[in-house]
Amino acid sequence: MNGLMMQKQLLISSLIVHADRHHGDTEIVSRRVEGDIHRYTFRDCHGRARQMASALTRLGVKHSDRIGTLAWNGYRHLELYFGVSGMGAILHTINPRLHEDQVAYIANHAEDQYIFFDLTFLSLIKAVAGRCETVKAFIAMTDRAHMPKDAGIDNLLCYEDLVQQGSSEYAWPILDEDAASTLCYTSGTTGNPKGALYSHRSSLLHTYAAALPDALNCSARDVILPVVPMFHVNAWGLPYIACMVGAKLVFPGPALDGKSLYELLETEQITLSAGVPTVWQGLLGHLEETGQQFSSMRRTIIGGAACPPAMLRKFQETYGVAVLHAWGMTELSPIGTVGTMKAKHLEMSPAERYAMQSKQGRVVFGVDMKIVGTDGMELPWDGATSGDLLVRGPWVVRDYFRNEGDGPLLVDREGQAWFPTGDVATLDVDGFMQITDRSKDVIKSGGEWIGSIDLENIAMGHPAVSMAACIAARHPKWDERPLLIVVRKTGTELSREQLLGFYEGKIAKWWTPDDVVFIDTIPLGATGKIQKNRLREQFGNHLMAKAAG
Ligand code: AMP
């Protein structure tokens, strides 16, 4: 017998409809690429999102068409979050920090029909436009007065013109909640970037769960500043959460330095912010220099990379800001765990509590996790034994978009499918997860991925290199940076500068390794694979030691 409750599809458009109806006068404030501050309300945003959906329909955009964005956090990007997904098309947020070859690869793999871009990325668009095979037009996210002159791009449209052509009477279609809504590529594994394809249902379930008190604890009394980019897993879901709970939203645009962020935190009276540790280092540095304090910020979500214990203490002890240490992945929409204390932890000494908070936290309801050994058997939750971290849940990927190989899931002895995260972790009796290592071969620098294999392949292309390995070395500012370890061919000369110069033009500049260590032999395992863990043990602190002089 079925229950007798109504069937209502869980749709992304319902979030902005709700925000308009119940929080219509709540503000959305954006620092614009044009330089000024823009203010409007959820009601205005809803009207313009409908105009955009209507304009896209007139352009011939159909259900499931992919629409790309190369954009900062701002109100126009937010309008596309609802305009594109709401009409049944798929919003594909592209990371503009990637090398132009990767951007072109991703746009072609996704078969983007249109690409919206902030003016900051005009030169990137110029570089890739001729290579984006399926794109019918590029849309500059600005008004007529700021449109680039003689850009040399065929089919260049103006965002504000497009909005004006749409109708704010547009009615959101009732879609199947399992329909795809959003596409986000990650380079978090080796090989080409892979697309996590979220659905309306997975996004809505994630929004409900992430807003809970023991997760991000968001309400209509909050003013939220997502510093984490909207091209990084939907700014961790905060734009959707703000609509669901009616929180004021503040977008920093391209200005992510400590001074600009502090200005916005104070003028808009932010209560909750979110970002990777590197961003907060800039902000804390600015506060230290100026001796300023926060007058309204109560909580900050730190994730994407491990939150350094010193940062935790600084926020909490010097500035009275509670840190929510969170862990997630693009493949998890992204939230998996948040480090919120249980009642019994409140009795702990400050030192013990800091140790708990340094862990990545416990799951939000919906996500299930376990750690397994190399034999696939589950390991104990004793806070000491570490194993490969597996997850499952309704907002965890089951496959990548247009994946030509085997799907990513593992099936355990009970026949249950799990997503292997590539993280190695412990779980304690209270379910707090702590990341101890990473089995995937990548480097995370300032919250962004760098592919070690790509860097090794380039080095191996140099005629004087016999063998090359690239590892994630700890770095005081960026958390991790690539360190190249090289064996020279006998009888050849090769300097650090020559090898680093060899990378020029082949990768994004910020992917260039920080240093090169020349050694005689690279340790190999039984199957001939480079033993990266041994190299990490030996050279993992190389850059820290160098920075300390
Ligand atoms: P992404 O898909 O870019 O969000 O990256 C996800 C990966 O970032 C995870 O699998 C971890 O390796 C790493 N990560 C995310 N959050 C944390 C955290 N709080 N501590 C340590 N590593 C993290």
Side-chain angles (χ1 to χ4, degrees):
M1 189 188 293
N2 286 343
L4 292 173
M5 310 310 280
M6 288 184 185
Q7 274 287 354
K8 184 175 188 275
Q9 301 299 303
L10 299 174
L11 299 178
I12 284 178
S13 56
S14 67
L15 291 168
I16 191 68
V17 169
H18 173 84
D20 176 354
R21 188 168 298 158
H22 299 279
H23 307 279
D25 58 355
T26 297
E27 270 190 315
I28 299 166
V29 180
S30 311
R31 193 191 289 279
R32 285 205 275 208
V33 170
E34 291 93 332
D36 57 345
I37 297 282
H38 173 273
R39 285 172 194 281
Y40 73 172
T41 62
F42 275 125
R43 185 159 301 130
D44 300 325
C45 176
H46 186 202
R48 282 169 53 93
R50 282 196 282 184
Q51 282 180 283
M52 180 50 77
S54 151
L56 289 174
T57 309
R58 285 184 199 176
L59 276 181
V61 173
K62 302 201 178 46
H63 281 198
S64 299
D65 278 354
R66 272 77 69 198
I67 307 295
T69 62
L70 277 161
W72 299 110
N73 293 7
Y75 68 103
R76 291 185 181 119
H77 209 172
L78 187 69
E79 289 162 6
L80 293 170
Y81 265 45
F82 297 106
V84 173
S85 302
M87 69 165 294
I90 300 171
L91 183 79
H92 170 206
T93 53
I94 308 174
N95 184 343
R97 294 190 178 125
L98 295 176
H99 187 260
E100 59 187 55
D101 292 347
Q102 281 179 315
V103 170
Y105 168 85
I106 288 174
N108 286 328
H109 189 266
E111 299 176 328
D112 288 335
Q113 302 291 302
Y114 291 89
I115 293 184
F116 288 81
F117 67 97
D118 270 334
L119 289 177
T120 323
F121 306 119
L122 180 62
S123 55
L124 177 56
I125 291 290
K126 282 185 189 170
V128 299
R131 287 187 269 163
C132 294
E133 291 154 16
T134 52
V135 175
K136 295 177 182 144
F138 295 90
I139 300 148
M141 293 165 71
T142 190
D143 55 19
R144 185 58 37 206
H146 291 87
M147 279 298 280
K149 309 272 177 296
D150 308 320
I153 300 168
D154 295 339
N155 293 333
L156 182 66
L157 303 179
C158 168
Y159 186 96
E160 289 301 330
D161 288 357
L162 206 57
V163 170
Q164 291 319 313
Q165 288 157 21
S167 159
S168 60
E169 299 302 307
Y170 175 88
W172 297 113
I174 311 275
L175 308 165
D176 177 347
E177 65 180 13
D178 286 321
S181 61
T182 327
L183 177 62
C184 194
Y185 280 73
T186 174
S187 338
T189 46
T190 49
N192 280 326
K194 295 178 172 61
L197 184 63
Y198 312 122
S199 69
H200 287 261
R201 175 186 157 81
S202 72
S203 303
L204 268 272
L205 292 177
H206 178 269
T207 309
Y208 279 116
L212 283 170
D214 271 4
L216 307 185
N217 188 15
C218 298
S219 81
R221 293 164 302 286
D222 273 315
V223 182
I224 303 178
L225 176 81
V227 180
V228 51
M230 289 167 81
F231 55 77
H232 257 187
V233 216
N234 306 320
W236 297 346
L238 288 166
Y240 298 143
I241 294 172
C243 286
M244 182 177 274
V245 304
K248 171 176 164 181
L249 261 177
V250 181
F251 291 123
L256 304 179
D257 60 287
K259 183 170 178 289
S260 309
L261 287 178
Y262 182 74
E263 208 175 275
L264 220 46
L265 285 161
E266 287 304 300
T267 52
E268 300 307 323
Q269 291 288 286
I270 306 297
T271 60
L272 172 69
S273 60
V276 295
T278 306
V279 159
W280 299 138
Q281 256 171 20
L283 178 67
L284 291 175
H286 172 74
L287 289 193
E288 238 156 70
E289 268 168 36
T290 55
Q292 288 159 315
Q293 288 278 341
F294 300 114
S295 65
S296 58
M297 188 152 77
R298 298 287 164 262
R299 286 165 294 137
T300 185
I301 308 157
I302 302 184
C307 174
M311 183 175 284
L312 247 168
R313 280 179 178 268
K314 180 123 266 158
F315 263 119
Q316 300 192 165
E317 289 174 11
T318 312
Y319 299 109
V321 174
V323 170
L324 295 172
H325 189 193
W327 168 89
M329 298 180 74
T330 306
E331 289 90 338
L332 266 88
S333 309
I335 292 170
T337 62
V338 183
T340 323
M341 300 294 104
K342 295 182 178 178
K344 64 180 173 186
H345 300 133
L346 302 178
E347 306 300 319
M348 284 177 158
S349 70
E352 286 171 320
R353 232 186 8 253
Y354 278 124
M356 281 306 271
Q357 277 193 290
S358 295
K359 296 187 176 195
Q360 276 67 20
R362 55 198 167 92
V363 291
V364 293
F365 174 77
V367 176
D368 206 2
M369 61 173 46
K370 67 175 178 178
I371 46 171
V372 297
T374 42
D375 56 0
M377 296 299 283
E378 184 164 8
L379 295 169
W381 292 31
D382 58 9
T385 313
S386 63
D388 289 317
L389 181 67
L390 310 184
V391 296
R392 60 179 180 174
W395 56 83
V396 177
V397 293
R398 64 179 150 84
D399 204 353
Y400 291 108
F401 180 56
R402 293 186 55 209
N403 188 20
E404 278 95 35
D406 291 336
L409 300 190
L410 297 176
V411 176
D412 67 12
R413 280 158 207 258
E414 286 77 43
Q416 300 292 332
W418 294 81
F419 174 74
T421 62
D423 287 320
V424 177
T426 59
L427 282 162
D428 70 17
V429 282
D430 290 313
F432 276 72
M433 185 271 284
Q434 181 159 33
I435 295 191
T436 54
D437 200 0
R438 202 185 283 148
S439 58
K440 49 195 171 194
D441 203 2
V442 279
I443 298 149
K444 204 163 198 198
S445 171
E448 303 271 1
W449 291 116
I450 297 176
S452 52
I453 307 279
D454 297 312
L455 299 184
E456 287 162 7
N457 287 344
I458 292 173
M460 292 298 287
H462 192 285
V465 171
S466 151
M467 203 175 222
C470 192
I471 61 160
R474 277 175 284 282
H475 189 276
K477 178 167 182 202
W478 301 107
D479 190 34
E480 292 175 5
R481 287 293 305 158
L483 174 69
L484 197 61
I485 296 154
V486 169
V487 180
R488 277 180 284 232
K489 281 192 185 149
T490 35
T492 58
E493 300 263 318
L494 177 65
S495 69
R496 169 189 182 276
E497 286 67 30
Q498 283 169 329
L499 188 49
L500 294 183
F502 190 61
Y503 281 91
E504 243 167 66
K506 298 190 174 83
I507 43 161
K509 214 171 158 49
W510 63 273
W511 274 40
T512 311
D514 273 29
D515 205 0
V516 186
V517 176
F518 293 100
I519 57 173
D520 293 335
T521 46
I522 282 186
L524 299 179
T527 56
K529 264 178 77 174
I530 294 175
Q531 289 183 308
K532 292 259 178 112
N533 50 347
R534 282 189 53 197
L535 289 175
R536 278 205 303 268
E537 272 166 31
Q538 203 178 343
F539 298 108
N541 277 324
H542 175 85
L543 298 176
M544 296 295 257
K546 215 173 154 190

